[in-house]
Amino acid sequence: METRIFENKETVAKSFSAYLSDLISSKPEIHIALSGGSTPKIVFDELAAEYVDKIDWKKVHFYWGDERCVAPSDSESNFKMTQDHLLSKIQIPAENVHRIQGENDPVQEAKRYSQVLEKQLPSQNGMPHFDLVILGMGDDGHTASIFPDSIDQWEAKDLCVTVAHPVSGQIRVSLSGGIINHAETVAFLVTGKSKAEKVREVIQKDGNFDSYPASLVKPESGNLIWFLDQEGASLL
């Protein structure tokens, strides 16, 4: 595991964008699972501003780690956020964008998206294999859409699961732990003082760390990178 700490969320976004550009340039084709949230939004803005012509977007395939079960035009849609801040501004083939269809029946969509992953991703040791999974972490230690009260879903045999948000009850479709930990690299993007306590517990394996889904992110490859700002890393 590696931690990279930067002054603020803007420098996190700049550093991660440069990291991503280098990773993409090193591969003939790349499969990336995206995250929603405020920090990825800043990353997408940085990519749209500085990397439109520096990255060969034709060899990039985008997927999502989770999605709220809403229409793609809904303001809560992770896809819409990515569309507004990145996809609409780059030359990426439509067939390279593999969104979770949040407007569909959640259980059926989890099955359909599992099939998409099996078809589109290269296979390694009999399981679909991402080059990179980008994750965030909530103040409660959740990641993707696996929450502390649904942590058992991390171990689900299916590639995708449905989960209810513990407060709102909103249904989400999420990758399960097996395919996340099977990725070549997993990168956490975590910023802000509100995340500092959980960052400390998860990274240092302290307190109630094992009740937080983020603590279960342990890629088989060993390639786990935390991109943090000083506030998020302030208790390390």
Side-chain angles (χ1 to χ4, degrees):
M1 184 181 70
E2 178 185 353
T3 56
R4 302 185 185 184
I5 301 169
F6 303 92
E7 182 179 0
N8 52 42
K9 61 186 179 183
E10 288 78 18
T11 48
V12 168
K14 288 181 182 298
S15 175
F16 182 76
S17 296
Y19 164 82
L20 187 63
S21 178
D22 289 344
L23 184 64
I24 292 170
S25 68
S26 72
K27 295 180 179 291
E29 184 177 72
I30 187 166
H31 299 265
I32 301 170
L34 299 173
S35 172
S38 57
T39 308
K41 183 187 293 185
I42 302 171
V43 169
F44 298 158
D45 287 339
E46 174 71 13
L47 290 169
E50 301 296 335
Y51 291 88
V52 169
D53 300 320
K54 296 178 183 176
I55 289 174
D56 181 2
W57 297 104
K58 294 190 298 296
K59 63 180 186 178
V60 179
H61 286 256
F62 282 138
Y63 308 78
W64 276 261
D66 67 320
E67 183 60 278
R68 298 172 176 91
C69 291
V70 296
S73 58
D74 192 288
S75 61
E76 292 200 335
S77 166
N78 285 339
F79 168 77
K80 176 175 168 51
M81 187 271 279
T82 313
Q83 173 71 17
D84 291 348
H85 290 264
L86 180 61
L87 300 179
S88 63
K89 302 175 182 181
I90 60 175
Q91 297 296 315
I92 185 169
E95 61 268 24
N96 289 16
V97 177
H98 311 279
R99 74 176 180 91
I100 298 173
Q101 296 176 3
E103 69 273 26
N104 291 348
D105 173 80
V107 173
Q108 292 304 313
E109 180 56 19
K111 293 179 181 177
R112 187 199 71 86
Y113 204 62
S114 295
Q115 294 169 352
V116 169
L117 300 179
E118 289 173 343
K119 177 181 178 183
Q120 296 292 336
L121 291 173
S123 180
Q124 186 177 90
N125 298 326
M127 179 180 281
H129 179 70
F130 282 110
D131 295 287
L132 175 66
V133 173
I134 302 169
L135 295 174
M137 184 184 70
D139 294 354
D140 60 355
H142 86 265
T143 194
S145 275
I146 308 294
F147 296 90
D149 73 334
S150 55
I151 196 168
D152 59 319
Q153 290 284 63
W154 184 265
E155 305 292 345
K157 68 182 188 303
D158 298 319
L159 301 178
C160 299
V161 295
T162 58
V163 177
H165 186 279
V167 177
S168 69
Q170 182 188 59
I171 305 300
R172 302 182 179 190
V173 174
S174 176
L175 298 184
S176 60
I179 190 169
I180 291 173
N181 280 337
H182 193 56
E184 178 61 30
T185 302
V186 180
F188 272 108
L189 301 179
V190 183
T191 61
K193 190 172 290 292
S194 67
K195 310 289 180 69
E197 181 63 30
K198 293 297 188 296
V199 166
R200 182 188 66 79
E201 290 185 88
V202 170
I203 289 180
Q204 297 183 351
K205 295 181 169 53
D206 189 26
N208 296 317
F209 77 95
D210 55 0
S211 67
Y212 310 137
S215 72
L216 300 177
V217 178
K218 301 171 185 175
E220 299 154 18
S221 66
N223 299 326
L224 174 61
I225 309 173
W226 288 77
F227 287 80
L228 302 162
D229 68 350
Q230 288 182 353
E231 287 190 343
S234 60
L235 298 180
L236 291 178

